[in-house]
Amino acid sequence: MHFASDNAGPVHPGVMEALAAANQGHAPAYGGDDLSARSVARIREVFEAPRAEVFLVASGTAANAILLASLAQPWATVFAAETAHIHEDECGATEFMSGGSKITLVGGEHGKLDAGALAETITGLGGRGVHGVAPGPVSVTNVTERGTLYTAREIAAIAAVARAAGVPLHMDGARFANAVAALGCTPAEITWRAGVDALSLGATKNGCLGAEALVVFDPALAGEVERRRMRAGHLLSKHRFLAAQFLAWFEADLWLDLAARANAAAARLTRGLRERPEVAFRHEPQANMLFVDMPRALHRHLIARGAVYNLWSGRLDGDDDDEPLTARLVCDWSTTDAEIDAFLDLF
Amino acid sequence: MHFASDNAGPVHPGVMEALAAANQGHAPAYGGDDLSARSVARIREVFEAPRAEVFLVASGTAANAILLASLAQPWATVFAAETAHIHEDECGATEFMSGGSKITLVGGEHGKLDAGALAETITGLGGRGVHGVAPGPVSVTNVTERGTLYTAREIAAIAAVARAAGVPLHMDGARFANAVAALGCTPAEITWRAGVDALSLGATKNGCLGAEALVVFDPALAGEVERRRMRAGHLLSKHRFLAAQFLAWFEADLWLDLAARANAAAARLTRGLRERPEVAFRHEPQANMLFVDMPRALHRHLIARGAVYNLWSGRLDGDDDDEPLTARLVCDWSTTDAEIDAFLDLF
Amino acid sequence: MHFASDNAGPVHPGVMEALAAANQGHAPAYGGDDLSARSVARIREVFEAPRAEVFLVASGTAANAILLASLAQPWATVFAAETAHIHEDECGATEFMSGGSKITLVGGEHGKLDAGALAETITGLGGRGVHGVAPGPVSVTNVTERGTLYTAREIAAIAAVARAAGVPLHMDGARFANAVAALGCTPAEITWRAGVDALSLGATKNGCLGAEALVVFDPALAGEVERRRMRAGHLLSKHRFLAAQFLAWFEADLWLDLAARANAAAARLTRGLRERPEVAFRHEPQANMLFVDMPRALHRHLIARGAVYNLWSGRLDGDDDDEPLTARLVCDWSTTDAEIDAFLDLF
Amino acid sequence: MHFASDNAGPVHPGVMEALAAANQGHAPAYGGDDLSARSVARIREVFEAPRAEVFLVASGTAANAILLASLAQPWATVFAAETAHIHEDECGATEFMSGGSKITLVGGEHGKLDAGALAETITGLGGRGVHGVAPGPVSVTNVTERGTLYTAREIAAIAAVARAAGVPLHMDGARFANAVAALGCTPAEITWRAGVDALSLGATKNGCLGAEALVVFDPALAGEVERRRMRAGHLLSKHRFLAAQFLAWFEADLWLDLAARANAAAARLTRGLRERPEVAFRHEPQANMLFVDMPRALHRHLIARGAVYNLWSGRLDGDDDDEPLTARLVCDWSTTDAEIDAFLDLF
């Protein structure tokens, strides 16, 4: 009954085998090996983007911060939703990597940035000349931090606003596979075809050990990435082991298979919880994460029985048993029906 | 015949097995798991340093830069040898992570910083008050970047100078295991007992996949490390896989066994090359790296026959066949006698 | 009819004379001269703060950014009102000087940060551990950017929240003299006695040429200021001319006299505008700035007749003559009754 | 007998009068006023560089650091002489403003960077790819920090090396007027005509109160300067007073007249000291600074008699009376013959 996070889950055996298979004698360090070259080619293929520049790192925060620092001048501000991981959960990594840029929060609902609000926010920044910060990249997260999805059409609307303002569009794809699987689209359709210029492609949460790709669709925007990755200590010497993860992940669409399993598990969990009257959904679950309100006493009961998940608001030890506290429940590729059913049986 | 770098070598099977063994279901992310706790305890044990603060990352550049940024104010200068990795090979990572500190080069021979020269350099900085930069941490590398060693006594002499100047002493231990194995000392003897305040402990080059530990012996100096690691994107979510590498590495002294193998291979290679009159040693090899001068034509011959190594100076395609070019030859735990002998037979 | 800004106004003749008087032969550079020592002593006296550390610079942005960078770790966030100069008008200077800190906006009305909202915002940040940014200094502006005032009691309420959170309180006093004059309090009463730890004391807008003081009431918080000032290029060599401005400014309470004149001018302007039915006040003017809504056609009329001021929202060249546009009108020490009356006569 | 520094000297009365004259009523802030426009035009005229971009600040460290940060990527290294002010006397301002660039020291004599040594140093950096820092701007100082001069030919030789390496050439002209006066050249001849891309033009040390210009000859290189100036707090609001200083400085060639006076004073002082057998010159004085060795006892004698200057090495309170200590003696426009003769009479 582990619903704490998809980054607490196991690595898929196919990925572990690929690591072992990659461990054959010597190979050039720092990405000069064959597997690394093949992983880049594979990502280009998957995204139907032969000119994309691709760089691998081991953490999602690194992917986001290196990309945004490469897209934003130090005196720019990045536009993001209030719930954005770059704003709330990366300890100021983007501000640090970029040399002091800002993040300007843009309104929207259910973890999504609203295109109209974005346009207004950008306009509102204007008129201060050199005294204000400059408009910088827009960053959207898909799957969002609230378990909801942007459709290709919604992304295109945001991209249109970004383009009109002359700023690039970044996507934090920590759960990108879950988005593709849920939307039933191609990777290209919700990235460059919809106007995304650069993607943080996360594999860690979906069956890998630690592997994220920086995919820059417009190579003209990639000029700073390599140096920034190096000087932030993110160019791994035994780079073949990053590459091997991605190659295994894309093999026979494993990535989409794993994402679909996680999404299906979350759907099963959603169906079960809908039948519990004490449970209220804060957002309509669309991928592999649920945000639900339940009374404090119920949380205590579930956790005492061994359920593992995080409270998104409030504390277990309050006085009021009936006070609703929000929980985040995340499924990953390894979540079983039995596990879900055991959890639901606790109610 | 692979002598390019120990970071081009394979992962030891024991470490790969440990990764597979760590892959059991869910575990708290970001170092909250049992393996992570055990790895910290194990490092404290190995270093006889129960109060040390320990942090794991995946790259050596990250380890050095995060530690030095935590020890140095932005307006300080780090003292290091001209050959230091932090100066030559990390693309300014320390300068970046620290917010703009400097590196002041200190004289010395064979890759080592000289204690007397350090004292003079620090004194020479003085007298400028707020106009000059402040003295910051001293950083030594053991094994040095030239394959030589600092003894415990030499480190203590440098530590005395640092202490007199009121600055901490950092050790870049990318090849720390090779140093311990070669010196036949305990880990404590060449670190905190000799006056080292913080160590970048590298496991990647010696049989791991990507695992480095920041070991801060004086916990009072560790206050900034956790935040700096996080915001530089170096707190890995599936942290248990960093921990598992270290646990396997220390199991039954595997780390020292692997380092001893690499050192022995380098010693065999050294013995063989000493018999070749065209080969001159630039430094006396003391661990697992050799720096030798050979005529250009000989380099061409060796490389054409399949030997893999890096030129440290000069280019293969020059006109003068007799011009001596410097090569760096590195052995790792996987280097075999047969490989060395095959290489020597090429002469 | 110049109401564009108090930083567009002239230097008071007394200050100009002091500059000339300070220009006697040689004097030690960088603040080592007698005038500099006397200016520090004078500021301590004025603030009844004998232990305060005082540093002079030439710009208000420098004062704010150097102070906040000294009070905030790079991974901290500064709490400020949405209208704060540090957020809107300094091109990210605080984020830059601090090495990448954030600014978290706190609710409130009429340019003021609300103590209750502050408490909630700080609490809301918590619970993310190393993934979130750390709480950093609170920054309030008095006179606010909307021409309103914090009373000593209001500042004390904010200080209590800051103290409970363990963070320091900074005041942007670009128009501090106007606040003291309007409140009829002592400088100490709305700074350290109310819980302010560090003040950017602005003299430029109130009769000086370019002179701002960083006043750190708790000397324990001042350790980084000197180095940060130096390395940002803000330690002026001919420092005596900064000091001379402050000495003249405090002479016979000139600073309060000038501020009172500006405030009185704004009061006269306010009285006049209240009689114009087309004019609506957005905030109750309490010092030397007014924010008023007037129809576009009226703005066009006034500006065509030679009135000089800035629109705070909207553009002169829109279609709708009746659309209300906000103007900011600022008085300084040199604003005359005749000038105000001439302006009012344009209506 | 003040020879401590030209930044300890007085402001020329003509400049003070210009400040007073500029103090007429209101003027647009931040450089939007007429005087500011005229000062830019005047600098372009003086340099015969109609397309140059010009920005004013109040300190030389600001000028250097903002320019170099605009010319250097954060992962670049600036090439400079060991004696460079940016390396020794600005507390790491360039490293800070640029976001962590390095300064690589280049050999040369008498405070000058040698073109041949520069070429070798740049070549020596190569070959490390993304692991090494990138070559950045070359920075020369004219007059040098040792009181010597680069001729136009010498600058052109350095510029040729820079151009071949694809990096820009910066000149720290804190004493640029003294160089022009001493060389008898035009400003253009030792700047853009010789290959200089950007100049820090210092007026403070030569009769102004605090005024430095950033002159970017190639406007394509100026794109970042305005934002960097703003966000470092160096865009002064009452900007007309910076402009007024420059306008007065250039009026009737006052700047060259003042520089010639300082140079002539230094020449008189040099002639007098050459006759003293205890005095040895470390460098051949070419402008307004002398570096001389004198026995400790003689220093004590001179300083006890009221001479004011700085020791460049050693301390007055040593045991050995005969030990030679180096003094720096600087003349400025206000140094009188009487003062020099009084000093010489002390011997």
Side-chain angles (χ1 to χ4, degrees), chain D residues 80-84 106-115 117 139-151 154-155 158 283 286:
Chain D
E82 289 181 29
T83 55
V106 178
E109 295 199 319
H110 302 302
K112 292 159 77 173
L113 174 159
D114 180 76
S139 181
V140 294
T141 308
N142 208 14
V143 179
T144 75
E145 294 296 323
R146 292 299 174 265
T148 57
L149 290 170
Y150 288 99
T151 62
E154 287 171 321
I155 294 164
I158 290 167
H283 314 288
Q286 296 183 282

Side-chain angles (χ1 to χ4, degrees), chain B residues 30 73-76 98-101 129-135 223-224 226-228 230-231 235, chain C residues 30 73-76 98-101 129-135 223-224 226-228 230-231 235:
Chain B
Y30 301 116
Q73 291 282 28
W75 46 86
S98 63
S101 66
V130 76
H131 300 271
V133 291
E224 298 190 354
E226 202 171 5
R227 290 281 185 176
R228 289 194 183 275
M230 174 64 213
R231 101 198 219 96
L235 175 57
Chain C
Y30 300 117
Q73 291 282 27
W75 46 87
S98 63
S101 66
V130 75
H131 299 272
V133 291
E224 299 190 355
E226 203 172 6
R227 291 279 185 177
R228 289 193 183 276
M230 174 63 214
R231 99 200 220 97
L235 175 56

